[in-house]
Every structure is written in structure tokens, then in C-alpha cells.
Amino acid sequence: MMRHWQAPSCLLVLLFALVSSEASTLDDTCRSIGASKKDIGYDYCIKFFQADNASATADRRGLVVIATKITREEAANIRKRIDALKASGTDKKVSGRLSDCRMHYTNALKWLEAAAEGVKSGNLQKAKMNLTGVILGTDTCEERFRELGVVSPLAAEDAEFSKGCSIALAITTML
């Protein structure tokens, strides 16, 4: 027969084991990403997911959905930054490149949502295709500035955004 004080202790042990196993999904996933993607690394992956508290207990599918949510927020912020840069009266050629990049980030919002839906519905191929498209679009945005011979005013944001999308793609590939 279990004593009254033993029941809460057993419950706490069970709860701790459950939380520990769920939390280890994030840790294990970021370790795998860190081992395969040196440009991202374990620490960056963990830091990236700290933007959403639900990542601590999410499974891998949930982590992809969270990663797409975080990157959608980043895409929306980058679009706002592009609008501010354009409003500040940039060079006409630079302004044209910024317009191209804005279009990419508008598409990225839709593609990231489609990627999350693909993961939720089990259509991982669709998710991978959408995530790959988003990453290629970011690369294209940066390439357009290189062609112009100027440093992209979005270089830092594009690099961070691309890393987040790469994290989502890497986890989708693990599923």
C-alpha cells in the first residue's frame, strides 16, 4: 500500500522523467544539426529556439512548425526594414534590388506557412520544397546586390533568416 507522501513523490518523478525526455528532443535535434551544419552549430540552434517557449517540450514535427513560425516573424520584420530603407531615399538601383527582396520575403511568408502545413499533414516533400525555395530566394536577394557591386543592406538579416530556414529544413529531413 502506498503512503500519502509517496504518491506525490512518484508523480514528481514521473513528471520529471516526462519533461526530461521531451526537453531532450530539442537538445538531441540541435546536437544533430550542430554536427551536420557547422555554419549553424548547436549553440545557435538552441538560441534560435529560445524565441518560443513551446520548443522546450516539442517533438521534431513541432520544432519544424516552431521554426517556421519564428522565421515568418523574421520575414515580416525584414519586409518592414526593406520598407524603411526604401522610404529613406536609397539609390534607384538599390531601391530596385530592395523591391526584389521584398517580393521574396512576401513569398517566403506564404511558403513558410505552406511548409508548416506540409509537416502537420505529413507531406514532408512539400515542406522540404517550400523551405528550399525560401532559402534559394534569400540567396537570390543577396546575389542581386553582389551583381550590382554593393554590399547588401540586408546581409545580416538575410544570413540570420537563412539559418533559421536551414534549421527548419534540417529537422524536416530528420523526420
Side-chain angles (χ1 to χ4, degrees):
M1 186 166 156
M2 193 176 282
R3 295 191 175 119
H4 292 293
W5 61 271
Q6 286 178 316
S9 297
C10 291
L11 184 61
L12 283 174
V13 169
L14 181 62
L15 183 62
F16 179 75
L18 179 64
V19 170
S20 294
S21 68
E22 288 175 344
S24 71
T25 300
L26 175 61
D27 187 63
D28 292 344
T29 301
C30 284
R31 286 195 191 288
S32 294
I33 289 171
S36 65
K37 301 218 167 271
K38 300 299 181 198
D39 61 321
I40 294 174
Y42 171 81
D43 291 337
Y44 183 88
C45 179
I46 292 292
K47 182 182 171 200
F48 172 80
F49 280 109
Q50 286 175 346
D52 190 311
N53 292 337
S55 60
T57 56
D59 63 6
R60 282 197 170 151
R61 283 184 189 270
L63 289 174
V64 175
V65 173
I66 290 167
T68 61
K69 177 185 167 195
I70 293 168
T71 54
R72 280 194 318 270
E73 290 169 5
E74 288 176 358
N77 289 334
I78 293 169
R79 279 189 353 167
K80 288 177 189 172
R81 172 127 156 71
I82 290 169
D83 291 342
L85 287 168
K86 288 181 57 117
S88 69
T90 59
D91 171 279
K92 193 171 187 165
K93 289 181 182 179
V94 170
S95 181
R97 298 304 195 256
L98 288 170
S99 293
D100 293 344
C101 292
R102 189 181 195 290
M103 184 179 67
H104 159 68
Y105 281 104
T106 298
N107 290 333
L109 289 167
K110 296 173 197 165
W111 294 344
L112 287 163
E113 183 64 34
E117 290 304 317
V119 168
K120 289 176 189 175
S121 70
N123 189 344
L124 300 180
Q125 198 58 37
K126 176 182 177 182
K128 289 177 193 176
M129 181 182 71
N130 281 294
L131 291 167
T132 301
V134 171
I135 293 167
L136 291 174
T138 305
D139 293 344
T140 301
C141 178
E142 284 300 305
E143 180 61 31
R144 300 278 289 150
F145 283 102
R146 283 190 291 276
E147 290 169 358
L148 195 57
V150 298
V151 176
S152 167
L154 303 171
E157 291 98 331
D158 285 345
E160 292 298 305
F161 178 76
S162 187
K163 283 182 181 181
C165 292
S166 292
I167 288 170
L169 181 58
I171 299 170
T172 303
T173 302
M174 293 177 195
L175 298 175

